[in-house]
Amino acid sequence: MEAATPARQLGNGQLLPRGMGGLSLESLREDYRRRLFDEYLPFWERGGYDRERGGFFCELNDDGSVAVDEKNLWYQGRALWVYSFLYANFGKEQRWLDMAAKTREFLVEHLHAGRGKWVEKVRGDGTILDGVARHVYGWLFAAGGLAQYCAATGDLGDLDLASQSIRAAIEAYDDPNYFDAVSVQYAAVPIPDRGVRSQGHSMDLLWALSQLLSVRDDPQLAELQRRQIELLSERFWNPEYGIVNEFLEHDYARIPGAECHMYAGHAIETLGLLLHETVRTKDRALFDLIAARVRRVVEMCWDYVFDGWAGGDCFVFATPQHSQGPDYSVKTMWSQCEILIACLTILEYTGQAWAKEWYDRVRAFTLRTMPVARHGVWRQAVDRRGNDIKRAGISTTRKDNFHQVRMLMLNLLTLDRMIRNERRLTPFPR
């Protein structure tokens, strides 16, 4: 792998900045606390959370009322993770644990199909709308949510189900006839109909395994995690072009014609997850390498005319169907959030000036375009000029219950450490 590029440090390399985005670190922390506790969480309690039966509706009107009576597996697993993490890291408030517990109960009772496989979608009362999912993303969100719930409660009873779900997902994904309905539907390059490898799958495996391994040592799952790290850092990374390829052949070889393509949103999300995993596994060399890649990808896909980051398809070379460079037509909220997580993590451990500069730019664009007046949940996406836009294939009433809140929580914890350390770099684990 290529070596990490040395970067200019802030000041003498020992102290972090006094502030970010025109605010002191303390004021920035309070701004995020307000957005989390006074805006975002109250929105979900107005109707998204099912107080009677547990679980979350994610098709909501702007006032928080339910627009569609359905509960999707993805959003139940994500919500379980969110409220378990919230309870464990922000004061152990009982109502957050109660919401996690009822969501866990609904998830396991109504969406688990047995042997680690999961139903894709049910009505609010648990009536099945879509049977066992044809792709395993939701299985991994369920596994990660269950593992974080175990971490929050100290009751490890669900870890076996989380582990079983991960193993079932890997078994299904490794089948040469596995059909990735999500990737086939949205792929911007020709990919095999069956058995394709996607960065999105390895990314979610990395995340789910990290949640479980943070709670319990498991040599077999640890080996699977090492494999995902290798795949994401060496196989999906294309050193010839300095990008991350989203799709590979079943044997992880490059797909002819797809070598110059990157799905930037998954690239930055994956790189951010790898940063956190290197902290957990105490791998400083890999941390520095991934940090350099974060910088390259952020700089490559920024819109230098209208601001904002293009988190969709990016082509190193023009093709008959696509222009060279990033597609600026849709700028997703979730991809801006992933940059904020990655850049603040890099700043915390390295003090590199570029991480602060990009954090400030992305935060300014995000807060200018994504919040909705009197509405705690940010809009899904904007167009190139920053105007609200509908994403193709995604309902206008879908509300995000994962990326925004995850960014707020992780940034708050990072800022807490920076302030507690009196602006000194956080020591990298040894």
Side-chain angles (χ1 to χ4, degrees):
M1 296 186 293
E2 77 283 8
T5 302
R8 179 171 63 88
Q9 303 250 314
L10 287 161
N12 61 6
Q14 299 302 310
L15 289 181
L16 295 166
R18 294 185 181 277
M20 308 274 287
L23 299 174
S24 68
L25 295 182
E26 292 79 6
S27 295
L28 181 59
R29 179 177 61 180
E30 290 310 305
D31 178 73
Y32 280 146
R33 288 191 66 87
R34 176 184 60 80
R35 293 179 187 278
L36 175 61
F37 290 102
D38 297 345
E39 296 179 1
Y40 182 89
L41 295 172
F43 173 86
W44 286 99
E45 292 186 81
R46 289 200 291 271
Y49 172 62
D50 189 338
R51 297 178 181 276
E52 178 184 354
R53 294 165 295 200
F56 280 75
F57 301 99
C58 287
E59 296 285 348
L60 304 171
N61 299 308
D62 284 351
D63 63 2
S65 60
V66 177
V68 181
D69 177 27
E70 66 178 40
K71 296 175 182 175
N72 187 293
L73 173 62
W74 289 35
Y75 308 127
Q76 309 316 305
R78 287 173 166 182
L80 179 56
W81 183 89
V82 164
Y83 285 88
S84 299
F85 190 86
L86 184 68
Y87 169 78
N89 292 280
F90 294 89
K92 296 190 182 299
E93 190 169 333
Q94 186 61 41
R95 63 173 171 152
W96 307 134
L97 184 60
D98 291 343
M99 293 172 72
K102 289 197 73 171
T103 299
R104 178 262 169 211
E105 182 180 355
F106 185 90
L107 173 71
V108 174
E109 180 178 350
H110 295 291
L111 287 107
H112 185 222
R115 296 182 296 178
K117 300 180 180 182
W118 297 82
V119 169
E120 183 70 12
K121 188 187 303 181
V122 298
R123 295 193 187 279
D125 62 4
T127 303
I128 294 176
L129 289 172
D130 289 339
V132 175
R134 292 180 295 174
H135 50 80
V136 300
Y137 288 108
W139 304 8
L140 297 171
F141 286 128
L146 289 169
Q148 185 57 228
Y149 181 70
C150 291
T153 62
D155 181 351
L156 305 185
D158 284 330
L159 280 187
D160 287 341
L161 178 54
S163 175
Q164 183 183 44
S165 300
I166 292 173
R167 295 176 195 277
I170 291 174
E171 181 181 359
Y173 182 51
D174 282 346
D175 187 331
N177 291 313
Y178 175 74
F179 178 64
D180 181 1
V182 176
S183 295
V184 169
Q185 182 178 1
Y186 294 109
V189 290
I191 62 174
D193 289 338
R194 303 283 172 174
V196 67
R197 301 296 192 174
S198 75
Q199 178 183 215
H201 281 81
S202 284
M203 175 185 73
D204 281 357
L205 280 166
L206 179 83
W207 177 79
L209 285 163
S210 179
Q211 307 310 303
L212 196 147
L213 291 168
S214 296
V215 182
R216 181 174 71 187
D217 290 334
D218 185 314
Q220 290 184 331
L221 292 183
E223 182 58 36
L224 289 172
Q225 182 72 315
R226 283 189 287 272
R227 173 62 171 161
Q228 299 313 313
I229 293 172
E230 175 191 4
L231 291 170
L232 290 168
S233 61
E234 298 183 21
R235 303 298 289 272
F236 284 98
W237 177 257
N238 186 331
E240 182 178 2
Y241 301 140
I243 63 171
V244 185
N245 289 144
E246 181 66 20
F247 304 110
L248 298 175
E249 300 278 11
H250 189 72
D251 63 357
Y252 293 97
R254 306 220 181 269
I255 299 173
E259 302 95 334
C260 72
H261 169 258
M262 173 172 66
Y263 181 51
H266 273 181
I268 198 66
E269 184 175 9
T270 299
L271 292 170
L273 291 172
L274 281 169
L275 287 173
H276 283 89
E277 185 63 7
T278 62
V279 173
R280 190 186 72 82
T281 58
K282 306 176 183 179
D283 189 341
R284 182 57 191 257
L286 185 57
F287 179 96
D288 290 339
L289 180 68
I290 298 304
R293 291 178 181 177
V294 168
R295 182 179 187 178
R296 175 172 172 78
V297 171
V298 170
E299 292 177 347
M300 182 183 294
C301 295
W302 184 256
D303 185 344
Y304 293 91
V305 177
F306 293 102
D307 287 336
W309 197 71
D313 297 305
C314 177
F315 288 85
V316 176
F317 303 110
T319 74
Q321 295 79 29
H322 301 279
S323 300
Q324 179 181 351
D327 178 2
Y328 296 117
S329 63
V330 178
K331 298 172 182 174
T332 54
M333 174 272 294
W334 66 268
S335 62
Q336 318 300 317
C337 287
E338 295 300 332
I339 299 175
L340 294 175
I341 293 171
C343 284
L344 198 60
T345 301
I346 293 166
L347 182 65
E348 175 186 8
Y349 289 103
T350 71
Q352 291 177 1
W354 69 264
K356 177 190 181 301
E357 292 162 3
W358 277 110
Y359 186 92
D360 288 349
R361 293 181 76 171
V362 175
R363 172 180 153 85
F365 173 80
T366 303
L367 296 187
R368 177 169 63 83
T369 61
M370 300 301 174
V372 182
R374 299 178 301 279
H375 180 6
V377 176
W378 294 345
R379 55 175 49 93
Q380 289 283 319
V382 295
D383 65 15
R384 187 174 187 190
R385 294 176 180 270
N387 302 308
D388 194 13
I389 190 174
K390 181 187 182 302
R391 294 169 64 194
I394 296 178
S395 168
T396 57
T397 58
R398 182 201 286 187
K399 300 295 187 290
D400 180 85
N401 73 334
F402 184 66
H403 293 283
Q404 178 190 349
V405 66
R406 179 171 164 270
M407 182 277 290
L408 292 171
M409 292 193 295
L410 292 181
N411 272 204
L412 275 168
L413 294 175
T414 302
L415 288 166
D416 277 342
R417 290 191 295 270
M418 293 166 68
I419 294 168
R420 188 168 59 248
N421 291 341
E422 297 180 324
R423 297 192 297 117
R424 292 185 294 273
L425 300 184
T426 298
F428 200 86
R430 294 177 179 270

